[in-house]
Each structure stands twice: as C-alpha cells, then as structure tokens.
Amino acid sequence: MAPARKTDILVAGAGAAGLSAALALARAGFEVVCVGGLDRRANGRTVALFEASLRFYRALGLWPALKARSAPIARIAMIDATGSRFKAPTLAFAAAEIGLSAFGANVENHVLVEELERAARAAPGLSLRETMVADASFGPDEAQVLLADGERVEASLVVAADGRASLIRSRAGLEARAWRYPQTALTALLAHEKPHRSTSTEFHTRAGPCTLVPLAPREGAPFRSSLVWLMEDDEARRRAALSDAELAAEVEAQVGSLLGGMTIEGARGAFAMAGMIAPKLCGPRVALVGETAHVFPPLAAQGLNLSLRDVAALVEAVEDARAVGQDVGSPLTLEPYDRARRGDVGLRAHGVDLLNRSFLSAFAPVDLLRGAGFAAFAALGPLRRALMREGVLTHGALPRLMQAPRPVREPRAGAR
C-alpha cells in the first residue's frame, strides 16, 4: 500500500462553501487538500451575497472578478400576497439607511464556482482533487481519509463541507436533526422588459415567497432577475411540466407584471424544502461548515452567507491556535469554534423556520402577528435599521475576514 499523503487540513466538499474554506485556509498559510466533485452547470440558481460575505471575498482577492458578473441589491421590498384579512403593509428596506451603497450582490451559482475554482487552482499550498471521499476515520492525533481513487490522506483537521448527507459527519459520529416542509422551490433566470432598479422584491404568498432578485445584464438582455418561488409540492410538479413561455406567463401574473413581459433563460431548477441542523459543529479532528451543519429554506438569503461566517470563524480559530503552538485539530481549538457559531446558526435556523411556517398557516392570529410585525418595521426607523444590520452583518463581533478594513489615517502636517 502506498504511503499516505500528509497535509495540515483536508476539506471535504468542492461546492461554494468547501472551495471558499479551502482558499481561506490556504491563504492563512496552511497546506490544504480540497476533495469533491465540481458542479459547473448553469442550473438556474443564484446566491445573494451580503456585505459581510463581500468583505470575505474581498479579503481573498476574489471580489473584482465577481463584481463584474454580479448585480447589486440596493433595496428590498416585501409585499403581502397571502390574501389574509389582516394584510401586512408593504415593507421596504434601503441599504442607504444603514450607510451602505448596497446590501450585497446577486451572482449565478456556476459563476461563483467558476471563480472559486480558478482561484483554487492558482493558490499556493492548495491541492484541488476532483474525486470523492470513500471513507474516513478520526484518531487522537490525526484523521485518515480514503479517497475514491485509492489515495489516502492524513490530516490534522478535516473540514466537512460535503453537504446535508455528509459522509464525514456520519463517520465522525456527529448527529443532525432533519425535517421537511410541504413546499418545493422553483428557480430560474428571467429576462424582462422593465428595469429592476437594483431592487429585490418578495411577494409573500400563502405557500411561501415568490422572489425576484436583480441579475447582471448580458448581451441582448439589459434587464434580468433570478426567480426563487416557493409553492406547494403539487403546484411545483404542475409548473415543472409547463413550457418556458407558460411558466414565464404565470410568474408575470404572480408578480402583477411588475417588471413587464418575461422570458426564461436556460435551465430551470426545483428542489424540495427541508431543514437540518447539527447540534454540535465539531468532533475529534473534524469541524462542520455550511450545509453539513445547517440547511433551511431560501428565505432572507441566509444560506451561503451563514456558511461563509462558519468558514471565517473556523479560519480565525485555527490561525489563533497555530499562533500559540496549539494543535489545529484539538478540542482546545475546535470547541471555541462550536460555541462561537452555535448561537448564530440557531438564531437563523429558528427564525427562518418560524417565518416560513407563518406563511403556511391560515390561522388568523398568526396573520395578525405577522402584519403587526411588518407594520412595526415599516413605521419605526431604528427597529427597521436594526433588522437590516442584523441581516447583512449579524450581531456581535464578526470574524476578522469579515471585518471592514480600517481607514488609513494620513499623517498630520508637521508630524514626525
């Protein structure tokens, strides 16, 4: 048997979260092996990256390339289309209210993966392997990982970014609690007649939101948006069978022709709505990030943004451990990461779950409470601004990779 390859850290999973983790860890000076299948398909899905995530990608040097292929989100509008007797007022958020030019930017999934792959292949200290993990074991001093191509890798730490059905999480003996919603999300890219004016618009229906998010223009299509439409499973099956023209007409009707006539570009997607949370984000020689640790519906665009906060916090934990000569895969390193992330993950998971279930409920008091909440956010500026800051930057101290750069002070005239 060939000797095992030794590395500081192995990242299992080569999606956006896994590639981001591998790049950030390599940039921090660790020797990293990233293992997984790369999905380069244009699949009709996008990701809205909020301000903290943009700072993360700026720190990695990726933002200039991503910015050229993304669209800013400067405003968010939420419109009650539930048909409730207690109709909630339209709620509008503007990034300018909290001192930002935009809350973030929307980019197509495959574009993000392309840029991450390009950077990963050029990164010193990072080896990107397009194969899968076949097995793994975790000892007191190291983790041993067997790859599908037969290679063995020994690492001080394994970062599990291999998704909700994670083999690494299972082999590490870490549990996860999962649940299912009676909804499916349809996704597509749309070209439309009217400009979106950098506004993401959510129509809150009884089956979930129908959301239009700005997209960058392309040749022949100056006005584009991405669609994420949550609906009952039966309706999703019916709409999946429609032609592109028929589905575009239904989208246009649902949003009241807000953006004029619509056409669907390229592939469409559909995925069942589910939730999952791992009570513990670390184990012996392993740390969980991204959808290996938490999954919930695509409300408030928290998915990848939450995953990148996991990554940034983990990078900070292992950097600090190395600085004092501490083993990066030890409980002394990983337990603080688990404690630091558990509150944020729990808050987002339970908040999104509560909001989603409130749409599905036809119970009048629930409608009344949701309407009252929207009215409070619409009327009270400080409350609205606090919600905006929490959504894009989160409470408490951000990890170093997500902190705003400090302005450089010019020396005073005559100073020595």
Side-chain angles (χ1 to χ4, degrees):
M1 183 178 295
R5 175 176 182 171
K6 294 185 179 295
T7 190
D8 295 329
I9 301 172
L10 181 139
V11 177
L19 289 170
S20 297
L23 277 165
L25 289 162
R27 177 184 177 275
F30 293 97
E31 184 179 346
V32 180
V33 175
C34 182
V35 178
L38 287 159
D39 188 354
R40 304 178 180 89
R41 297 172 300 165
N43 57 7
R45 295 180 65 177
T46 67
V47 58
L49 299 167
F50 288 148
E51 173 64 19
S53 298
L54 300 189
R55 293 177 185 176
F56 176 89
Y57 284 130
R58 287 188 191 106
L60 297 187
L62 286 171
W63 180 235
L66 290 172
K67 182 179 181 180
R69 305 176 71 181
S70 65
I73 303 169
R75 290 170 294 277
I76 298 173
M78 298 181 178
I79 300 170
D80 187 348
T82 61
S84 167
R85 288 182 298 161
F86 305 102
K87 183 178 176 65
T90 295
L91 189 54
F93 301 100
E97 283 192 74
I98 56 172
L100 298 174
S101 60
F103 292 114
N106 194 35
V107 62
E108 294 173 54
N109 275 25
H110 77 281
V111 169
L112 177 58
V113 171
E114 282 176 9
E115 294 298 338
L116 288 168
E117 180 191 359
R118 178 194 57 75
R121 296 204 182 278
L126 173 54
S127 173
L128 179 58
R129 299 289 313 282
E130 289 192 67
T131 186
M132 307 301 288
V133 171
D135 205 356
S137 61
F138 302 90
D141 300 318
E142 65 186 11
Q144 296 201 18
V145 180
L146 175 65
L147 305 185
D149 62 7
E151 184 177 10
R152 292 183 302 126
V153 181
E154 293 178 356
S156 297
L157 172 64
V158 174
V159 178
D162 51 338
R164 65 188 71 187
S166 170
L167 175 66
I168 294 293
R169 190 185 63 228
S170 174
R171 292 293 188 268
L174 296 173
E175 298 179 350
R177 181 174 64 88
W179 60 95
R180 170 80 164 88
Y181 297 99
Q183 298 160 291
T184 297
L186 291 188
T187 61
L189 307 184
L190 305 169
H192 40 82
E193 293 177 331
K194 299 178 182 178
H196 49 59
R197 303 187 189 282
S198 299
T199 300
S200 175
T201 307
E202 302 178 11
F203 291 82
H204 291 173
T205 78
R206 188 57 79 190
C210 176
T211 306
L212 301 174
V213 190
L215 267 183
R218 63 168 180 78
E219 186 176 355
F223 308 131
R224 301 171 69 228
S225 295
S226 61
L227 169 74
V228 182
W229 191 357
L230 272 65
M231 62 191 70
E232 295 175 349
D233 295 332
D234 288 345
E235 274 295 274
R237 284 188 285 271
R238 181 187 69 79
R239 288 186 170 120
L242 297 177
S243 68
D244 283 353
E246 290 169 333
L247 179 58
E250 293 205 8
V251 175
E252 185 181 342
Q254 176 62 67
V255 303
S257 297
L258 177 72
L259 300 177
M262 294 180 167
T263 57
I264 290 178
E265 301 180 349
R268 292 144 52 174
F271 55 102
M273 288 293 91
M276 185 275 289
I277 191 165
K280 192 167 179 59
L281 275 65
C282 72
R285 303 265 157 210
V286 63
L288 311 184
V289 301
E291 290 198 349
T292 305
H294 42 74
V295 175
F296 42 82
L299 278 69
Q302 290 299 307
L304 184 60
N305 291 287
L306 188 64
S307 300
L308 295 181
R309 290 202 294 278
D310 296 341
V311 170
L314 180 61
V315 172
E316 187 165 309
V318 296
E319 279 186 313
D320 290 348
R322 181 183 57 190
V324 296
Q326 194 170 288
D327 183 347
V328 298
S330 73
L332 284 174
T333 298
L334 299 180
E335 291 289 349
Y337 162 72
D338 175 63
R339 289 194 298 271
R341 294 301 303 139
R342 202 182 305 154
D344 189 22
V345 169
L347 176 66
R348 309 292 160 165
H350 294 307
V352 168
D353 179 69
L354 182 63
L355 178 61
N356 192 42
R357 293 186 190 279
S358 78
F359 294 135
L360 298 174
S361 173
F363 191 43
V366 173
D367 284 344
L368 181 60
L369 284 172
R370 187 178 62 247
F374 273 52
F377 287 124
L380 302 175
L383 184 62
R384 184 174 61 255
R385 289 188 287 274
L387 180 65
M388 287 188 279
R389 291 190 187 95
E390 181 65 23
V392 300
L393 291 171
T394 195
H395 67 286
L398 285 165
R400 287 190 293 267
L401 277 172
M402 291 181 160
Q403 292 176 10
R406 294 181 180 179
V408 178
R409 292 186 178 181
E410 296 293 334
R412 291 177 298 171
R416 292 181 182 272

